[in-house]
Amino acid sequence: MDIHLNGESRYLEKESTIAALLQELKIRSDQVAVEVNLHIVDKQDFASRQLQEGDRVEIMSFIGGGAESSLSVTEA
Amino acid sequence: MIDERLTIAGHEFKSRLWVGTGKYKDFVETQKAIEVSGADVVTVAVRRVNITDRTQENLLDYLDPKKYTILPNTAGCYTVDDAVRYARLARAAGVSDLVKLEVIGDERTLFPDTAGLIEAAKILVKEGFIVLPYTNDDPIVAQRLVDVGCPAVMPLAAPIGSGLGIRNPYNLKIIMETVNVPVIVDAGVGTASDAALAMEYGADAVLMNTAIAGANDPIAMAEAMKYAVDAGRLAYKAGRIPRKLYATASSPIEGML
């Protein structure tokens, strides 16, 4: 089945939970937040939450940033 | 001098210098600069995990959670909805209930959209967040943010990353005098004297990123900022002499020939 993962389409061979997807991607679950179809999924539900065809999944974490919006700033 | 600790909503902080983690050469430099600065609050941004390249290292592996309070920001958010969404994601990722709330109004100045900021702050405070809003140097807006439940305010000294220093010291002073919560001067610091000045005016802390990360020698500048914030704080506590137009002799006249 196909899902949208962080803005890109991704094919999953079999049914998958969020925990399984994170494991497949080698992403530690302790420092991420996961949103499915604009709803944040509690960490404790990662193992039980099944992904569905067409789900829009966002896996978010922290990067360096400070007083600036480093991704959208227009440098003077 | 023994100074009282800065406390915000039950969180106690050792350092009055807070630093960002963006724009460094690599994580080793980030880590070193933060360590030298003595800061115990570090800001981070919330972004998509890089799915395609999993060899990339994770910033949080370089920041000991026992040593530092991680302060996620909503940098890059231009709407109330986005800022609220990013704040919720940050909390869900599990570092803390603290959020440095940014609702940016314009790409060129990165000035806050203060109407959106107050609205977003209201929503997040109701959801139990400890909202530290990045705001303009406007005393009325600062008070409104306190009114909706922000336990501190973070007015800018100058536009983010501009290095212009404190552009409106009088407004900042009014904010410090009128709000009954800690004031953290955030953004616009260019060099050590700017940070010292902010503290001399009575700021409770200063937050900066580019002034350190963008310096020729970030590690040395991190150290300079530590001294500047300490010196400024000491001078504020000590109480400066009034400015006078004419001289006042320091040496006595008695005993002269």
Side-chain angles (χ1 to χ4, degrees):
Chain A
M1 72 177 176
D2 289 299
I3 61 165
H4 300 274
L5 178 60
N6 283 13
E8 285 172 23
S9 73
R10 187 177 184 95
Y11 177 72
L12 301 180
E13 289 201 3
K14 49 182 170 53
E15 297 264 298
S16 182
T17 61
I18 290 172
L21 177 65
L22 290 173
Q23 201 174 9
E24 187 192 321
L25 295 167
K26 296 188 173 62
I27 295 171
R28 278 162 45 195
S29 63
D30 58 337
Q31 293 170 348
V32 296
V34 177
E35 203 187 63
V36 178
N37 304 328
L38 298 177
H39 293 285
I40 290 170
V41 180
D42 278 348
K43 271 188 210 283
Q44 65 226 38
D45 298 331
F46 280 5
S48 60
R49 176 64 185 264
Q50 292 283 336
L51 293 171
Q52 312 284 329
E53 173 80 32
D55 273 350
R56 306 192 83 85
V57 181
E58 297 288 353
I59 304 176
M60 308 290 283
S61 190
F62 300 107
I63 64 152
E68 33 268 279
S69 45
S70 47
L71 294 189
S72 55
V73 62
T74 311
E75 293 289 350
Chain B
M1 185 196 73
I2 296 173
D3 196 4
E4 70 269 27
R5 292 257 171 104
L6 171 59
T7 305
I8 298 169
H11 292 257
E12 206 180 80
F13 305 105
K14 279 191 295 235
S15 172
R16 290 176 182 274
L17 171 59
W18 295 12
V19 295
T21 52
K23 294 190 171 177
Y24 285 97
K25 191 177 71 196
D26 51 40
F27 289 153
V28 175
E29 189 183 67
T30 314
Q31 189 183 43
K32 181 82 183 145
I34 293 169
E35 198 185 327
V36 168
S37 77
D40 60 351
V41 180
V42 295
T43 66
V44 296
V46 181
R47 293 292 180 267
R48 280 172 166 161
V49 171
N50 188 333
I51 303 289
T52 46
D53 180 10
R54 295 302 306 146
T55 59
Q56 285 196 353
E57 289 184 290
N58 187 340
L59 169 68
L60 290 192
D61 292 338
Y62 284 81
L63 301 170
D64 182 355
K66 284 187 226 79
K67 245 166 99 180
Y68 301 109
T69 300
I70 306 293
L71 176 58
N73 65 33
T74 62
C77 294
Y78 283 79
T79 64
V80 173
D81 286 351
D82 269 352
V84 168
R85 184 182 181 193
Y86 274 70
R88 288 173 180 156
L89 284 164
R91 180 159 75 175
V95 295
S96 80
D97 291 344
L98 290 161
V99 64
K100 179 189 158 189
L101 182 62
E102 299 185 30
V103 182
I104 303 298
D106 162 63
E107 261 188 51
R108 194 157 180 222
T109 59
L110 296 179
F111 280 144
D113 170 351
T114 50
L117 183 68
I118 294 167
E119 201 184 324
K122 212 169 172 174
I123 295 167
L124 292 170
V125 165
K126 277 201 186 116
E127 293 181 15
F129 283 87
I130 297 165
V131 180
L132 311 180
Y134 160 68
T135 183
N136 219 325
D137 54 9
D138 179 334
I140 306 301
V141 172
Q143 186 55 51
R144 293 285 177 272
L145 289 162
V146 176
D147 292 344
V148 300
C150 296
V153 289
M154 308 180 77
L156 55 84
I160 289 168
S162 70
L164 286 175
I166 300 174
R167 299 206 311 181
N168 196 338
Y170 304 106
N171 272 28
L172 284 183
K173 274 187 173 177
I174 292 174
I175 293 173
M176 289 164 199
E177 280 191 25
T178 52
V179 301
N180 61 356
V181 297
V183 176
I184 298 146
V185 172
D186 177 11
V189 165
T191 186
S193 51
D194 297 333
L197 210 51
M199 295 307 293
E200 285 175 22
Y201 288 146
D204 293 280
V206 180
L207 195 163
M208 65 183 76
N209 189 162
T210 309
I212 296 174
N216 284 336
D217 183 342
I219 312 299
M221 189 58 92
E223 193 175 1
M225 291 301 183
K226 178 174 84 171
Y227 297 136
V229 167
D230 284 349
R233 175 71 183 172
L234 272 170
Y236 168 73
K237 298 287 273 187
R240 62 153 299 149
I241 60 164
R243 287 185 170 85
K244 284 186 231 158
L245 195 53
Y246 294 101
T248 314
S250 334
S251 309
I253 305 294
E254 291 94 20
M256 288 194 75
L257 295 172

